[in-house]
Amino acid sequence: MEIEFLFLALGLAALFAGFVDSVVGGGGLIQLPALFTALPNALPATLFGTNKLASIVGTTSAAIQYGRRVSIPWRVALPGAAAALVGSWYGAKAVAYLDPAILRPLILVLLVAVAAYTFIRKDLGAVSAEPAHGARSALLAATIGAVIGFYDGFFGPGTGSFLIFLFIRFLGMDFLRASVTAKILNVATNAAAISFFVGNVELLWKLAAVMAVCNLAGALLGSRMALKHGVVFVRKMFLAVVTVLIARLAYDTFLR
């Protein structure tokens, strides 16, 4: 009975995480703490890897759903994803040498800046202002992918939100285009992290499979809601998730 309740509780958490993550990222805020609460005696690396296994299914589904309705800027998405793949792998390896907690104060400051900038700039991401993507855009996307990919492998909170913001700010995308591009890079970072964890730690495969199905259901619902309600809905979700991220990191940094 305890196992059944555990699977049910974590399945519900994964469902909600998939919904949030498919819109603006940030599903790890829900899914990962749920895993640590439900399985306090498990190794952190095991839970991180299990979380990635569950997440990648929903992220991939969301990318496909968006791709059917929103044109994907492949000229920036592909180099960005390739760089993110490499960055995430090395970020996961770096955990063995550095404590990810050292990043908390810096990430907190950056998230506050992102939230303030987005609140002030009411028109940010409202309409697409993309240039004709060429070598400069590809280089920018690869740089963003490498840096945020490393961050995702090393620490992780807010990866999707950072990607969306940077694609809007530096590549002129609207929120929907930025979201679908971020999903493609996020699939790459998850795949790299999974390949590292599979070879180095024990993963909870049955639990991951249940959570993956629930995460997928949430992602399907979330991506459809985003496509139906458009840029305004995604912007509001983005600000809500960033605000929660700030509160969570502030608590972990100063009160824990």
Side-chain angles (χ1 to χ4, degrees), residues 2 37 43 46 51 59 63 68 88 102 104 106 119 121 124 145 153 176 206 210 216 227 230 251 255:
E2 287 186 7
T37 301
L43 291 173
T46 294
N51 173 64
T59 304
R68 289 174 177 169
S88 182
I102 63 173
R104 278 197 192 119
L106 174 61
F119 271 115
R121 288 284 306 274
L124 184 73
L176 276 177
K206 290 182 180 179
V210 171
L216 172 62
L227 289 167
Y251 173 80
L255 299 177

Side-chain angles (χ1 to χ4, degrees), residues 1-9:
M1 187 64 180
E2 287 186 7
I3 295 295
E4 292 174 355
F5 178 76
L6 175 73
F7 274 54
L8 175 63

Side-chain angles (χ1 to χ4, degrees), residues 54-242:
S55 297
I56 194 171
V57 176
T59 304
T60 303
S61 168
I64 293 170
Q65 291 295 315
Y66 280 115
R68 289 174 177 169
R69 297 273 298 277
V70 181
S71 60
I72 299 172
W74 290 110
R75 288 187 177 183
V76 296
L78 288 179
L85 189 76
V86 176
S88 182
W89 170 265
Y90 281 102
K93 287 190 72 173
V95 174
Y97 305 100
L98 296 169
D99 182 4
I102 63 173
L103 283 181
R104 278 197 192 119
L106 174 61
I107 300 306
L108 182 58
V109 170
L110 289 175
L111 282 169
V112 170
V114 166
Y117 189 87
T118 307
F119 271 115
I120 293 168
R121 288 284 306 274
K122 302 294 185 184
D123 60 336
L124 184 73
V127 294
S128 177
E130 291 179 67
H133 292 307
R136 181 178 179 277
S137 293
L139 180 60
L140 269 173
T143 302
I144 291 169
V147 173
I148 303 301
F150 181 89
Y151 168 73
D152 190 38
F154 183 66
F155 190 49
T159 294
S161 300
F162 278 127
L163 285 172
I164 289 171
F165 177 80
L166 292 171
F167 287 144
I168 293 171
R169 178 64 182 81
F170 293 107
L171 291 170
M173 297 180 183
D174 62 28
F175 268 101
L176 276 177
R177 290 264 287 181
S179 189
V180 67
T181 308
K183 293 293 168 291
I184 292 168
L185 269 70
N186 222 181
V187 170
T189 62
N190 283 344
I194 287 169
S195 66
F196 178 81
F197 285 124
V198 164
N200 292 277
V201 299
E202 182 182 354
L203 300 177
L204 306 174
W205 292 96
K206 290 182 180 179
L207 179 59
V210 171
M211 292 180 71
V213 171
C214 295
N215 192 281
L216 172 62
L220 288 171
L221 180 60
S223 54
R224 287 174 183 172
M225 286 275 289
L227 289 167
K228 180 179 179 181
H229 297 288
V231 168
V232 174
F233 173 73
V234 178
R235 185 180 190 275
K236 288 179 179 177
M237 282 286 291
F238 174 83
L239 286 169
V241 168
V242 170

